[in-house]
Amino acid sequence: MTNRFMVHPLKLAVSLATALFSAAMALCLAGLGRWGASLLFLAVAALFLSVSLVFGAFITVDAGGVRRSVLGKVSRELPWDRIAEVGVAGSKIFNRNNPKKTGSLYIYFSPVPMTEEQRFDMMLNWPPREQLFFLYTEQRINAVQLLWSGEIQTYNSGDLHF
């Protein structure tokens, strides 16, 4: 059974819209001869286009492992035997000790076991470079649970338990 999920559809839509708007503004300003402002908007467009590539990637979860593909090309792959930890982590790490305020929840796949401090650092420096990740939904975690036999770790995930 193969499941394919976009990393974060809403963040893709917002970042892509911002990139397109900024590119259009850069073209308009270039047409008016405002080269400095045009370059600034072009830089903003490039920045948000790179964000679009991160959150618009697809994560494939199947019996072979977990793969991230960007624009149809596999950019990172972790077979199940190289995954040391699967977890769910909340992005709002400074929640003033209110466990119900978790922010966006993400499912992550790590090639090394992580401590609480490493999970904190991962969420502080989001998005991570070493782990594969995608937005948490019940459908997505169910697809992972069918293929992952180990324990699913939680960090800043509120009342969520597995």
Side-chain angles (χ1 to χ4, degrees):
M1 172 175 19
T2 299
N3 293 289
R4 192 174 158 169
F5 306 106
M6 186 178 291
V7 171
H8 199 305
L10 180 61
K11 285 188 179 181
L12 167 67
V14 171
S15 61
L16 195 55
T18 304
L20 292 173
F21 175 78
S22 297
M25 288 297 295
L27 288 173
C28 290
L29 288 166
L32 294 172
R34 305 281 180 141
W35 299 109
S38 178
L39 287 175
L40 179 66
F41 273 98
L42 198 56
V44 170
L47 174 70
F48 278 95
L49 187 60
S50 68
V51 171
S52 297
L53 292 175
V54 170
F55 290 108
F58 281 91
I59 300 293
T60 304
V61 179
D62 60 20
V66 182
R67 288 180 301 285
R68 176 179 58 211
S69 56
V70 179
L71 300 174
K73 184 178 177 186
V74 174
S75 62
R76 181 109 194 264
E77 184 171 6
L78 281 175
W80 288 112
D81 61 355
R82 286 194 35 230
I83 296 174
E85 179 174 313
V86 175
V88 176
S91 62
K92 189 172 183 181
I93 54 176
F94 301 111
N95 58 9
R96 298 183 190 211
N97 296 326
N98 186 348
K100 294 185 192 271
K101 293 185 177 181
T102 61
S104 296
L105 292 174
Y106 291 93
I107 302 168
Y108 67 89
F109 303 88
S110 176
V112 296
M114 298 173 69
T115 64
E116 287 291 312
E117 184 177 327
Q118 289 171 317
R119 290 184 194 111
F120 174 80
D121 288 340
M122 174 183 69
M123 297 312 295
L124 186 62
N125 299 306
W126 195 259
R129 300 211 187 284
E130 299 299 317
Q131 293 84 7
L132 296 176
F133 65 93
F134 57 94
L135 185 68
Y136 170 89
T137 65
E138 197 168 317
Q139 175 193 11
R140 292 172 179 207
I141 196 66
N142 288 338
V144 171
Q145 283 181 314
L146 288 174
L147 298 166
W148 176 251
S149 58
E151 180 182 354
I152 295 179
Q153 301 296 321
T154 57
Y155 178 77
N156 192 34
S157 60
D159 298 332
L160 194 61
H161 299 286
F162 300 101

